[in-house]
Amino acid sequence: MSEEEKRTEPEGPEKEAPTDWKKELLEWVKIIVAAVAIAFVLNTFIIANSKVPSGSMETTIMAGDRVIGSRLSYRFSAPERGDIAIFRFPDNEKIYYVKRVIGLPGETVDIVDGKVYIDGSDTPLDEPYIREPMIPEEAMHFEVPEDSYFMMGDNRNYSSDARRWHNHYVHRSKLIAKVLFRYFPNPGMLE
């Protein structure tokens, strides 16, 4: 081997450039901060994630189900009768509840012989999501204030809903999200 070949041939294993661990660490910190920021924005302004602790919405939503709601739904449109909503419980606003919108602002809600009547109608509200007839109890009358809603669970016989609360109505500003779907344990859209 000539002297020139010896000089151009590397001796021993090729040496790699040392990794700049500070640069690498900085890149990881940037990724983690970006992920946290995206999660914060999604959870604060776009979606609401909730675990349903009780059977008050059975069989639509079972105890232990996890649901996702859209926080944007009620920013751009008014809640509609039949919507399933996440809201701050009127008797303790630190707690979130999940119930169905039954009475709209300015309406009257009468519950007679286990049936719900809106604005004095002769025909009870059509509620296909109710799986078991409501056990009749003493007739109840509610007058929903403007900017407020009357909420009830689908499992009427076992639901602590607006009929039982001290403050019967949920103010529009306390509605958090419209529930769109269940993602655990049995994923599916909700109506």
Side-chain angles (χ1 to χ4, degrees):
M1 194 181 280
S2 73
E3 279 301 311
E4 191 173 310
E5 288 175 332
K6 285 182 183 177
R7 279 184 265 149
T8 58
E9 195 174 294
E11 291 184 21
E14 263 189 53
K15 293 186 178 179
E16 295 181 17
T19 304
D20 186 352
W21 65 270
K22 290 179 184 176
K23 263 187 170 177
E24 185 74 19
L25 181 62
L26 182 60
E27 290 303 314
W28 277 103
V29 168
K30 285 181 187 177
I31 290 169
I32 292 168
V33 168
V36 167
I38 290 168
F40 174 78
V41 168
L42 282 175
N43 201 40
T44 304
F45 302 108
I46 310 293
I47 63 169
N49 176 6
S50 185
K51 180 178 180 182
V52 179
S54 74
S56 69
M57 286 296 292
E58 289 181 0
T59 60
T60 308
I61 303 171
M62 305 303 282
D65 283 359
R66 295 194 69 73
V67 296
I68 293 285
S70 167
R71 291 180 185 270
L72 298 177
S73 290
Y74 296 143
R75 290 183 195 241
F76 299 110
S77 64
E80 297 178 10
R81 187 180 343 278
D83 285 358
I84 300 171
I86 300 170
F87 57 92
R88 292 184 184 277
F89 175 42
D91 292 344
N92 181 353
E93 292 187 1
K94 293 178 183 175
I95 301 171
Y96 287 171
Y97 266 33
V98 176
K99 302 280 185 216
R100 195 174 293 271
V101 176
I102 299 298
L104 302 176
E107 292 183 336
T108 61
V109 177
D110 290 291
I111 303 170
V112 180
D113 294 328
K115 304 243 186 274
V116 177
Y117 298 86
I118 304 296
D119 285 339
S121 172
D122 293 332
T123 308
L125 187 61
D126 180 30
E127 299 184 283
Y129 39 82
I130 302 293
R131 303 289 185 249
E132 178 180 291
M134 192 174 6
I135 296 170
E137 51 188 331
E138 191 173 314
M140 297 181 201
H141 176 79
F142 301 94
E143 296 180 12
V144 185
E146 290 301 322
D147 292 327
S148 294
Y149 297 84
F150 187 82
M151 315 294 277
M152 294 178 78
D154 289 359
N155 189 5
R156 300 283 162 81
N157 296 322
Y158 303 98
S159 178
S160 172
D161 54 36
R163 298 170 292 168
R164 315 277 184 244
W165 303 338
H166 177 72
N167 298 299
H168 299 292
Y169 311 103
V170 177
H171 192 271
R172 168 91 189 244
S173 65
K174 304 305 177 187
L175 290 170
I176 305 298
K178 177 180 179 179
V179 174
L180 302 176
F181 62 92
R182 172 183 42 246
Y183 70 90
F184 180 83
N186 301 309
M189 299 302 287
L190 296 172
E191 293 182 42

